[in-house]
Amino acid sequence: MTNVNKKVHVATKKRLRVNLTKNFYEKLAWTDNHAVCGIDEVGRGCLAGPLVTAAVILPPGKTHRLLKDSKLMTEEERLKASLWIAKNGWVSYGIIHHRTIDKHNIWQATLIGMKKALVNLLATCPLKPASILVDAMPLTLLDTNFHTIPVHHFPFGEKLSTSIAAASIMAKVKRDALMGKLDPLFPGYLLAQHKGYATALHYKAVGDLNYSMIHRLSFLKKTLNPPSIDQENHEEQQRIC
């Protein structure tokens, strides 16, 4: 166990008795010039489109006033922040297809996306993080080459960690751009407006047009009762034959 990991281990025990403070893990690592990795996702509650996860490593001690919870930012602020992150840090994404979400459920799909983003990042980033910070999700790395790196997950991660906030910004900007590209391909659903989220506008569009090939059927079953994935695959095979 490295010195910084020993500090994190001891400090984490103390943290269990107190509230987590802003950039708790960053400050522990940055004191010894070590980096941390933040991970977050965007699109868990959407009815359509992919889930996007992002993993971000910032240079030790380097931050920006715009690095905060992406949900509290304007689109212009997110774009500006994303440019700063891309220029100064290291970023990788895990983009999970809506059919993978239907197959595994959104919880497992999120973990798959987070692990994908993280492994891709650690394979290319020259810095090995002292710890990995995840917004709420209990990510495990036992089946990877990075299982010795401590992973900490906690709620409200975007507010408590600049690294997680940076990941939330990058994931949000990436997913919004993807939904913008899908919008003209699926006219009538207004994807560029609601980004696939379960808004009244989106529900109305689905009610008028039925679901499209990018909708998450497992999310729509309770409201529209679409055919099961197996049934849809069977019908597709029949059409091909």
Side-chain angles (χ1 to χ4, degrees):
M1 184 180 288
T2 65
N3 287 336
V4 68
N5 285 343
K6 286 180 180 178
K7 288 183 179 180
V8 169
H9 180 70
V10 173
T12 299
K13 283 188 174 182
K14 294 180 181 179
R15 180 184 59 79
L16 294 176
R17 298 190 294 269
V18 298
N19 292 328
L20 191 65
T21 56
K22 179 69 179 289
N23 284 339
F24 176 85
Y25 293 106
E26 279 90 348
K27 289 174 182 177
L28 284 174
W30 291 349
T31 297
D32 292 328
N33 201 36
H34 288 277
V36 300
C37 176
I39 305 176
D40 202 2
E41 54 71 31
V42 169
R44 280 185 69 182
C46 293
L47 301 179
L51 171 81
V52 176
T53 63
V56 172
I57 293 178
L58 299 173
K62 197 163 189 177
T63 186
H64 192 283
R65 63 179 180 80
L66 282 177
L67 300 190
K68 57 185 178 181
D69 186 350
S70 63
K71 294 186 291 294
L72 303 178
M73 303 170 69
T74 66
E75 182 177 4
E76 182 180 0
E77 288 175 331
R78 287 193 296 268
L79 289 173
K80 185 176 181 179
S82 70
L83 293 175
W84 185 91
I85 296 166
K87 179 180 178 180
N88 293 278
W90 293 266
V91 183
S92 186
Y93 300 98
I95 300 176
I96 303 301
H97 194 274
H98 60 282
R99 287 290 178 259
T100 301
I101 296 170
D102 284 337
K103 179 180 179 181
H104 294 285
N105 74 49
I106 190 61
W107 177 269
Q108 293 301 326
T110 302
L111 292 173
I112 291 170
M114 287 182 166
K115 185 177 293 186
K116 180 179 179 180
L118 175 65
V119 170
N120 288 340
L121 179 63
L122 297 185
T124 56
C125 180
L127 302 180
K128 181 179 179 181
S131 59
I132 297 164
L133 313 180
V134 187
D135 182 35
M137 301 292 291
L139 183 67
T140 60
L141 303 175
L142 295 178
D143 58 343
T144 74
N145 293 327
F146 309 108
H147 56 85
T148 58
I149 304 175
V151 180
H152 307 284
H153 67 278
F154 42 88
F156 309 111
E158 309 100 313
K159 294 181 176 63
L160 294 171
S161 164
T162 296
S163 302
I164 294 177
S168 77
I169 291 167
M170 299 307 285
K172 174 64 174 170
V173 170
K174 171 67 78 172
R175 191 177 188 281
D176 282 359
L178 289 174
M179 296 308 291
K181 292 179 179 179
L182 288 173
D183 180 72
L185 301 178
F186 298 91
Y189 291 99
L190 306 175
L191 297 175
Q193 293 186 40
H194 51 67
K195 306 298 190 295
Y197 281 92
T199 65
L201 192 66
H202 194 180
Y203 272 118
K204 183 180 185 306
V206 175
D208 293 340
L209 303 172
N210 209 337
Y211 62 92
S212 73
M213 63 184 295
I214 64 167
H215 278 88
R216 304 173 185 177
L217 301 187
S218 57
F219 279 46
L220 293 173
K221 282 180 180 178
K222 292 182 179 180
T223 54
L224 299 177
N225 194 30
S228 66
I229 299 173
D230 291 338
Q231 179 183 345
E232 184 179 55
N233 290 339
H234 177 70
E235 291 174 353
E236 179 63 24
Q237 290 172 0
Q238 295 246 344
R239 287 194 292 271
I240 294 174
C241 296

